[in-house]
């Protein structure tokens, strides 16, 4: 998790110097360890991690559905759902192409596709 946080680029927003780190980190129960919480607090990031053993309905789903929806959109493309490319640069290129195509479509098309498109074979 920490190498992923280190790879986050500067976050544009308000005027001034761009943020180098997120304000909060949302995660599911799989990351509920005190070690991660302490490391995030040391970096000045508020951990929004669901506790293990707590009943569902913590409110994390209100934020997480955005990510899950994006993954569903990406999985419309077979070559991304089943990774055929062995080289990471080809997979990254297809991922970027797909994201640019998704950005061009109206939202109604993204939610209910009439047919499942395929990139290549």
């Amino acid at each position: 998790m920490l190498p992923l946080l280190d790879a986050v680029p500067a976050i544009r927003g308000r005027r001034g110097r761009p943020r180098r780190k997120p304000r909060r980190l949302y995660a599911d129960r799989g990351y509920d360890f005190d070690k991660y919480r302490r490391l995030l607090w040391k970096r000045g990031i508020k951990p929004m991690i669901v506790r293990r053993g707590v009943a569902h309905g913590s409110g994390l789903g209100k934020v997480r559905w955005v990510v899950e929806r994006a993954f569903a959109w990406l999985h419309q493309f077979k070559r991304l759902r089943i990774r055929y490319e062995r080289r990471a640069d080809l997979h990254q290129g297809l991922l970027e192409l797909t994201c640019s195509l998704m950005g061009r479509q109206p939202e109604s098309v993204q939610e209910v596709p009439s047919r499942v498109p395929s990139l290549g074979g």
Side-chain angles (χ1 to χ4, degrees):
M1 176 167 64
L2 296 178
L4 181 64
L5 279 175
D6 294 335
V8 172
I11 302 168
R12 293 183 57 186
R14 297 180 182 152
R15 289 188 322 209
R17 185 174 48 180
R19 293 181 55 84
R20 295 295 305 167
K21 61 187 176 203
R23 287 188 181 99
R24 290 176 217 91
L25 178 81
Y26 293 93
D28 57 10
R29 287 174 174 82
Y31 295 98
D32 182 28
F33 296 104
D34 289 334
K35 170 187 167 185
Y36 290 142
R37 291 179 187 275
R38 279 193 307 270
L39 291 171
L40 289 172
W41 279 116
K42 281 183 185 178
R43 291 176 179 226
I45 302 171
K46 182 179 180 184
M48 305 291 285
I49 304 172
V50 181
R51 296 268 182 200
R52 290 180 188 215
V54 176
H56 290 277
S58 63
L60 181 62
K62 293 177 184 174
V63 177
R64 188 174 168 144
W65 74 272
V66 176
V67 176
E68 298 296 333
R69 180 186 61 187
F71 283 141
W73 287 344
L74 288 173
H75 284 171
Q76 291 177 10
F77 298 92
K78 185 178 179 183
R79 292 194 76 107
L80 292 175
R81 184 175 58 237
I82 302 169
R83 185 173 173 179
Y84 293 105
E85 279 70 20
R86 292 177 185 239
R87 291 178 34 196
D89 59 338
L90 291 177
H91 185 73
Q92 181 71 25
L94 285 173
L95 183 63
E96 291 173 7
L97 176 64
T98 303
C99 289
S100 65
L101 290 173
M102 285 177 16
R104 292 193 62 211
Q105 294 178 348
E107 191 169 330
S108 61
V109 174
Q110 292 174 348
E111 289 179 8
V112 183
S114 57
R115 77 174 184 82
V116 180
S118 174
L119 290 176

